[in-house]
Amino acid sequence: MEKELSNNICEELVFKGIYNKCAKDLQDFMYYKYGEQFNPKDIAQDAFIKLWNNCKKVPLSKAKSFLFTIANNMMLNEVKHQKVVLKHQQLNHKHYTNESPEFILEKEQFLERYNQVLSNLKEEYRVAFLLNKVEGKKHNEIAELLSVTTKVVEYRIYSAFKILKTELEGFKIK
């Protein structure tokens, strides 16, 4: 009795056999054709993933051709993308603003002072304040994270806000 050979790529052993037979050749082909800068190993792996995702549509006799075609197309897309990136980098972007140098300096000084005052706050005030105002967490979420009550969180945020307001001229927050 002869052993029946399966033509279904979706079977693990068949796919593994294709991988063992074609992976090195595919990587070498991508490397020789496009060089190392486009990661030929990654492209080859992605081609095998596409083969696996389309295993029911691709007959065993066309698997190698499918892999090489997909890998080549993926590499061409990557080359095209790199050309767009390079072209964009070569464009002259405006490096100026409509803001006056005085405003920019004041903004930098205010930010520096803000960070200094923030770092001088008690840790529990600073943590509650930043979780609320920077990360946008609600009071009950912060309370749960810090294992305290909602009233304690509200007090800490209020206290931090009060200190920032007294230490920083013109400090307002929404």
Side-chain angles (χ1 to χ4, degrees):
M1 223 179 188
E2 288 183 27
K3 189 174 180 182
E4 188 176 309
L5 292 176
S6 176
N7 286 338
N8 188 357
I9 296 175
C10 296
E11 291 182 20
E12 184 179 348
L13 290 176
V14 175
F15 187 82
K16 189 176 182 180
I18 293 170
Y19 182 84
N20 290 336
K21 183 179 176 188
C22 299
K24 180 79 171 115
D25 293 339
L26 183 60
Q27 289 174 14
D28 291 345
F29 175 73
M30 291 292 112
Y31 177 78
Y32 296 142
K33 189 166 182 180
Y34 297 101
E36 184 65 33
Q37 75 265 18
F38 295 112
N39 299 323
K41 288 182 180 180
D42 291 347
I43 297 292
Q45 290 298 320
D46 290 343
F48 276 100
I49 291 170
K50 286 200 183 238
L51 176 63
W52 180 254
N53 291 335
N54 293 298
C55 66
K56 291 185 177 162
K57 300 175 189 171
V58 180
L60 182 60
S61 62
K62 302 284 185 186
K64 186 173 181 179
S65 171
F66 179 86
L67 285 168
F68 278 76
T69 303
I70 291 294
N72 193 49
N73 289 342
M74 291 169 72
M75 193 65 86
L76 290 173
N77 288 340
E78 183 63 28
V79 169
K80 188 186 276 186
H81 173 71
Q82 291 302 322
K83 284 182 183 178
V84 169
V85 168
L86 182 62
K87 187 176 181 181
H88 179 70
Q89 287 173 346
Q90 291 174 342
L91 292 175
N92 288 331
H93 299 287
K94 73 176 195 173
H95 298 286
Y96 60 87
T97 65
N98 292 332
E99 298 170 343
S100 69
E102 293 85 16
F103 176 78
I104 294 171
L105 181 62
E106 286 175 11
K107 187 169 84 173
E108 289 172 0
Q109 289 173 343
F110 182 83
L111 185 61
E112 189 176 305
R113 180 76 180 126
Y114 169 76
N115 286 330
Q116 182 183 12
V117 172
L118 202 58
S119 66
N120 290 336
L121 287 175
K122 288 184 182 179
E123 182 180 353
E124 59 261 6
Y125 293 174
R126 183 177 58 251
V127 169
F129 181 79
L130 291 175
L131 283 171
N132 180 251
K133 299 301 179 187
V134 175
E135 293 189 21
K137 294 199 180 293
K138 294 182 176 22
H139 292 191
N140 56 354
E141 292 175 319
I142 298 169
E144 195 176 299
L145 280 172
L146 300 177
S147 301
V148 295
T149 65
T150 306
K151 288 293 183 189
V152 171
V153 171
E154 290 172 359
Y155 175 77
R156 289 177 180 179
I157 293 171
Y158 172 77
S159 298
F161 185 71
K162 187 176 177 184
I163 293 168
L164 285 166
K165 202 171 179 182
T166 56
E167 296 286 326
L168 297 171
E169 187 179 314
F171 178 77
K172 293 178 185 172
I173 202 162
K174 292 183 180 182

